[in-house]
Amino acid sequence: MTESVESARAEPGVLGHPRGLYVLFFTEMWERFSFYGMRALLVLYLTKHFLFDDRMSAGTFGAYGSMVYLMPVLGGFIADRYLGFRRAVTFGAVLLCCGHLLMAFEGDPATVVDGVVVRDDGAVQIMFLALAFIVVGVGFLKPSISTIVGQLYEEHDPRRDQGFTIFYMGINLGALTAMLLCGWLGEAYGWRYGFGLAGIGMLAGLFTFLRGQRHFLGAGEPARPELLRERVMGLPREAIIYGGGIVGVVVVWYLVQMQAVVGGLLAVVAVAAVGGVTIYALSKCTRAEQHRMLVVILLTGVSVVFWTLFEQAGTSMTLFTDRNVDRDVAGVSLQASQMGFMNPAFIILLAPAFAVLWRLLSRRGLEPSTPMKFGLGVLQAGLGFLVLVVGASFADGMGQVALIWLALAYLLHTTGELCLSPVGLSMVTRLTVKEVLGVMMGVWFLSSAGASYIAGIIAGSASVEGSPGAAVDPAASLPVYADVFNTLGWAGVGIGIAVMLVAPWLRRLMHDD
């Protein structure tokens, strides 16, 4: 560890944590504002503006979501080996600004002529190009900013989990405000206004990061800066990396429109990344390090199950909310795209309570292990869907479900997320050997890529058939959603209990003592 990074850890902090944590907090807050502001509107934009059917919309959302989380495997590798995490965050943020601002160009709405949907093909292609910029931008930014957070703490620093929880609150503060503001603007006044506001948020995130880098004091710098200055084919390697990023945008522009190709690519990258990390662990690591890496890989697999359930929020749950949930509150009708705000709102309210709870249980030797928390997370995600099934049984004659059932589902998904996600980020940075940390962080986000792709397929199975451009009958859509949610619910409960049963064995492999 460099002397400058050690100085960063010794720098007077705020509320017991390094100042750099709060720079990253606000950077990630604005980045997530832009990301979730666009995400809240995307499936509704596809179905209502471009009149794609449910299956196509869910598939597009799934392909985009999987690419968003697939790209950090490559971005993490480049940041690890060449670029450094700070430069990777900056480049990623610039690409994200381009993508989110392009989303503000909506073109002409689709129409139905003689039963055939007629779309503005130019606007559709601009949308896919915007998604490509976002995918590549997230690939560079997401694993890098989380790794910088980890570098601000010693490996066994007791503040480490707390720091990631604080960082995670920044994510959800951005998501909360984005869903309320971008969702409302997009549906009530025009898609361009919602997407445009998301782009402005990303610009604010880039400005925050550039202004606050002095507080990192060495964290996130490239391990071998001389490699960036080396010339390859007459150009500095750093310039080639940036040029490659732009070429990557063009490639993703094509891939995000080819769902089957994305699925195959996802499988190849997953095998290569996990296989590479496994080979490295077997050939270069001690036995204890091998055990710890095994736990990371196994629990990353468990996280695929959780995120598959959780990612229904952007597709089937959003369409269910739009068609089958009574959203009137005190005489005010909320937009379907706004209702996702409950997840980040619950996190902001409950994250401090969870941090205190883990601390109190830790002092008494009763804190659940990381594997146990993973099992609890999957269990609660399953219970959230079973709550929706119960709510569907109380629907009125118009096929409308009371808002309280949706709120309870989001509450259970949120408590499950608090058990798994911030602890998962900390686990990866704590248990992974430093030589492959960036790649392993990419593998962690790769689990979300697989989950997003699978979630898109599942959401497609909840497709409600109807005439192009015609409103969906809530009475027809309700049983479709109830059936899919019932299957998801029981699968989550069963897998969560299984993970909890093997948690003691996994804890021994972590060698935390």
Side-chain angles (χ1 to χ4, degrees):
M1 185 62 65
T2 64
E3 182 179 351
S4 57
V5 174
E6 294 294 347
S7 300
R9 290 169 176 162
E11 182 189 25
V14 178
L15 300 177
H17 290 273
R19 294 180 184 273
L21 174 66
Y22 299 98
V23 175
L24 298 171
F25 172 98
F26 286 108
T27 301
E28 185 73 344
M29 180 194 75
W30 283 116
E31 188 272 329
R32 292 291 90 179
F33 177 94
S34 65
F35 182 83
Y36 280 100
M38 187 278 291
R39 181 180 182 271
L41 292 167
L42 183 56
V43 74
L44 296 171
Y45 183 54
L46 293 171
T47 56
K48 294 185 175 183
H49 183 74
F50 289 121
L51 299 184
F52 289 121
D53 62 28
D54 289 2
R55 192 175 299 275
M56 177 64 182
S57 298
T60 299
F61 191 98
Y64 157 72
S66 63
M67 293 295 292
V68 159
Y69 292 109
L70 176 62
M71 199 56 64
V73 178
L74 179 59
F77 172 79
I78 294 173
D80 242 351
R81 188 170 179 84
Y82 299 112
L83 203 55
F85 300 113
R86 286 202 217 178
R87 285 180 172 87
V89 170
T90 302
F91 182 51
V94 170
L95 294 177
L96 282 163
C97 288
C98 295
H100 285 296
L101 293 175
L102 275 175
M103 286 296 296
F105 179 83
E106 62 184 54
D108 296 325
T111 58
V112 179
V113 179
D114 296 328
V116 178
V117 178
V118 179
R119 299 185 180 94
D120 183 340
D121 290 335
V124 171
Q125 288 303 312
I126 289 175
M127 178 200 68
F128 282 123
L129 179 61
L131 295 181
F133 270 105
I134 294 170
V135 164
V136 179
V138 171
F140 279 97
L141 184 146
K142 194 65 177 172
S144 300
I145 196 168
S146 299
T147 303
I148 296 174
V149 173
Q151 289 183 348
L152 296 176
Y153 300 92
E154 294 282 2
E155 180 181 348
H156 296 291
D157 191 326
R159 303 173 301 164
R160 193 183 186 88
D161 279 9
Q162 301 168 28
F164 271 100
T165 299
I166 292 171
F167 177 71
Y168 210 68
M169 287 181 66
I171 292 174
N172 288 281
L173 181 60
L176 167 65
T177 53
M179 290 181 183
L180 289 175
L181 296 178
C182 297
W184 168 65
L185 281 176
E187 286 202 78
Y189 292 97
W191 306 107
R192 65 168 67 90
Y193 298 110
F195 291 132
L197 182 60
I200 293 171
M202 190 61 247
L203 286 171
L206 175 60
F207 177 78
T208 300
F209 185 78
L210 293 176
R211 285 291 302 271
Q213 291 194 54
R214 68 184 184 277
H215 295 297
F216 302 151
L217 300 179
E221 292 287 9
R224 298 178 60 189
E226 68 276 6
L227 292 178
L228 294 176
R229 296 189 292 270
E230 285 184 357
R231 290 189 171 268
V232 180
M233 296 182 293
L235 294 172
R237 180 178 276 111
E238 185 173 4
I240 292 176
I241 290 172
Y242 297 145
I246 301 302
V247 172
V249 170
V250 177
V251 173
V252 174
W253 184 11
Y254 166 77
L255 289 176
V256 78
Q257 302 178 62
M258 306 295 292
Q259 299 166 24
V261 175
V262 171
L265 178 64
L266 185 60
V268 170
V269 173
V271 171
V274 175
V277 170
T278 302
I279 291 172
Y280 182 89
L282 292 174
S283 60
K284 302 290 186 180
C285 297
T286 66
R287 187 169 180 79
E289 290 172 338
Q290 290 173 359
H291 288 167
R292 299 173 88 188
M293 294 286 286
L294 175 62
V295 172
V296 174
I297 292 171
L298 289 176
L299 291 183
T300 299
V302 173
S303 74
V304 172
V305 178
F306 176 82
W307 293 118
T308 297
L309 300 175
F310 187 87
E311 285 298 325
Q312 295 300 309
T315 50
S316 62
M317 285 182 66
T318 295
L319 294 175
F320 169 74
T321 302
D322 185 51
R323 296 162 178 171
N324 290 104
V325 174
D326 181 357
R327 302 186 305 277
D328 288 338
V329 179
V332 177
S333 182
L334 299 175
Q335 304 291 345
S337 59
Q338 293 181 285
M339 301 313 297
F341 89 93
M342 287 188 281
N343 170 245
F346 283 137
I347 283 186
I348 292 169
L349 291 172
L350 296 176
F354 268 71
V356 171
L357 175 63
W358 299 145
R359 191 181 308 120
L360 291 176
L361 291 175
S362 178
R363 290 174 181 173
R364 292 165 173 77
L366 299 175
E367 182 179 6
S369 65
T370 296
M372 184 64 72
K373 290 177 182 177
F374 270 61
L376 288 169
V378 176
L379 172 67
Q380 291 168 91
L383 290 174
F385 283 106
L386 294 182
V387 162
L388 290 177
V389 175
V390 174
S393 67
F394 290 100
D396 63 20
M398 301 296 293
Q400 297 296 293
V401 176
L403 184 60
I404 184 61
W405 298 106
L406 183 68
L408 288 173
Y410 273 115
L411 175 61
L412 284 164
H413 285 186
T414 300
T415 54
E417 184 182 2
L418 284 169
C419 285
L420 184 146
S421 190
V423 175
L425 287 172
S426 178
M427 172 199 68
V428 173
T429 60
R430 178 164 54 93
L431 298 183
T432 304
V433 293
K434 64 180 181 180
E435 289 79 6
V436 291
L437 177 57
V439 176
M440 197 63 229
M441 187 64 74
V443 172
W444 170 254
F445 292 111
L446 177 62
S447 69
S448 295
S452 293
Y453 188 80
I454 298 169
I457 295 174
I458 293 172
S461 70
S463 176
V464 180
E465 303 300 331
S467 301
V472 173
D473 180 7
S477 61
L478 184 63
V480 175
Y481 292 124
D483 183 59
V484 172
F485 293 163
N486 185 65
T487 301
L488 293 174
W490 286 114
V493 169
I495 295 172
I497 291 174
V499 173
M500 293 166 68
L501 290 175
V502 301
W505 172 68
L506 293 174
R507 183 174 186 175
R508 288 194 295 272
L509 293 180
M510 290 170 62
H511 296 277
D512 271 346
D513 54 339

